[in-house]
Amino acid sequence: MGSSPDNRQPRFKGLPAESLNLLQLTDSHLYADPSRCLLGINTLETFDQVLAQALQEAGHPDFILATGDLVHDASDTGYKRLLGRLQLTEIPTYCLPGNHDLPGKMKQILNQDNVHCIPSVQAKGWSLIFLDSTIPNSDGGRIDEGQLGLLKVLLEAHNDKHTMVCMHHHPIPVGSRWMDTMVLDNPGEFFQLIEAHPQVKAVLCGHIHQTFDSMYKGIRLIGSPSTCVQFVPEEDDFAIDAAPPGYRWLSLQADGTIETGLASLPEIPSGLDLASMGY
Ligand SMILES: [Fe+2]
């Protein structure tokens, strides 16, 4: 639904001018050491390639969304390097943390100039809400009491706007046993709040390193490939997919509908360790 094959056509061209156009870059897994690899892939190189390709082929987005696992070793140097890349785009960028990030440090370093680590932004009739779904010292996800409270306040404050909620963890299982051990552990509380606010059109996540696009309780749930390594969908055990790094574009329409699709680098980076049993 809504996804398009990889091609070189501009993504935002031809869409209504009032559309809110977004690029989602997720799970970049950068390191302090720019030469370090994850499962055989230099994550800084693929991030740079995906970002350059996205800006060239998708057209100028209103915002970039960076949905967690931004720096694999949560290093100062890694965040500073990412900040430099994002500052160069001059595009307002909204970052939220994943299980590999340190939320406090991430905010301290990234939240400046055009780069923001804030709970929400409103533009073109839409409200985007950015939640922290991380649990300290765990790879699992949870929208804790504080984040649930924040979500409620933001939903009530902007109930006249179409809304997309963004967070790192997937809110419902995606059909992959090992990945689903890290699914949001309190979906009941989360969806109870979401369902009480019909302006919520979608929930966008990272974390799963694969595409996901499904309807649940009338809400569209969207997940996306990483800018580095992809995982095989619907696989019980950890498995690396022979798929290139990629990104998602989204165009949020004035009527509350969402146009979206994926694009990826033309080739799988050499060195990808397809036989790896974990990371
Ligand atoms: Fe990740």
Side-chain angles (χ1 to χ4, degrees):
M1 178 173 50
S3 54
S4 63
D6 183 16
N7 59 54
R8 302 277 89 83
Q9 295 305 308
R11 299 307 194 275
F12 301 134
K13 207 173 165 183
L15 291 166
E18 62 269 27
S19 308
L20 181 61
N21 294 332
L22 311 170
L23 286 180
Q24 182 196 14
L25 301 174
T26 194
D27 294 82
S28 46
H29 289 268
L30 305 184
Y31 291 98
D33 177 352
S35 69
R36 264 193 77 177
C37 293
L38 178 70
L39 301 161
I41 285 188
N42 182 300
T43 55
L44 180 61
E45 272 178 25
T46 57
F47 177 79
D48 283 344
Q49 290 164 358
V50 170
L51 176 58
Q53 182 176 313
L55 295 178
Q56 191 253 322
E57 72 186 0
H60 191 89
D62 294 293
F63 302 147
I64 294 171
L65 309 182
T67 47
D69 280 2
L70 304 184
V71 176
H72 191 84
D73 57 8
S75 58
D76 289 27
T77 309
Y79 287 120
K80 284 175 187 167
R81 190 175 289 115
L82 176 62
L83 175 66
R85 299 311 206 259
L86 295 173
Q87 283 171 317
L88 278 176
T89 69
E90 300 181 351
I91 297 165
T93 298
Y94 297 88
C95 302
L96 57 81
N99 44 302
H100 286 277
D101 293 300
L102 285 175
K105 181 193 278 192
M106 186 181 125
K107 185 174 182 182
Q108 190 187 5
I109 297 174
L110 288 184
N111 196 34
Q112 52 185 303
D113 299 331
N114 60 311
V115 183
H116 310 283
C117 300
I118 57 173
S120 77
V121 65
Q122 288 70 44
K124 295 186 173 179
W126 279 80
S127 178
L128 305 181
I129 297 177
F130 309 110
L131 297 178
D132 178 353
S133 61
T134 64
I135 303 170
N137 305 311
S138 166
D139 286 329
R142 182 175 186 81
I143 304 301
D144 69 16
E145 218 171 291
Q147 291 291 294
L148 283 171
L150 179 66
L151 176 59
K152 188 167 189 284
V153 166
L154 290 168
L155 289 172
E156 286 170 0
H158 303 289
N159 65 4
D160 58 337
K161 294 181 173 62
H162 304 305
T163 299
M164 184 166 77
V165 176
C166 309
M167 59 192 188
H168 182 67
H169 290 82
H170 50 312
I172 63 165
V174 294
S176 176
R177 191 175 57 195
W178 75 275
M179 176 57 72
D180 289 336
T181 62
M182 297 176 278
V183 70
L184 209 66
D185 74 3
N186 61 335
E189 291 173 287
F190 175 70
F191 280 107
Q192 195 177 17
L193 199 46
I194 297 287
E195 282 181 279
H197 296 85
Q199 78 264 26
V200 179
K201 306 303 179 197
V203 175
L204 178 71
C205 71
H207 190 59
I208 57 176
H209 292 232
Q210 61 195 268
T211 183
F212 185 75
D213 194 339
S214 183
M215 293 299 291
Y216 180 76
K217 295 178 182 278
I219 299 151
R220 192 167 177 184
L221 307 184
I222 305 171
S224 306
S226 157
T227 64
C228 58
V229 174
Q230 319 306 345
F231 302 137
V232 179
E234 297 179 7
E235 188 73 38
D236 279 349
D237 301 312
F238 179 93
I240 300 299
D241 202 0
Y247 70 92
R248 180 179 288 282
W249 61 268
L250 303 106
S251 184
L252 312 189
Q253 306 299 303
D255 65 0
T257 59
I258 296 174
E259 301 286 328
T260 184
L262 304 165
S264 53
L265 297 183
E267 289 178 4
I268 298 165
S270 61
L272 176 63
D273 180 8
L274 288 166
S276 174
M277 306 292 282
Y279 79 113

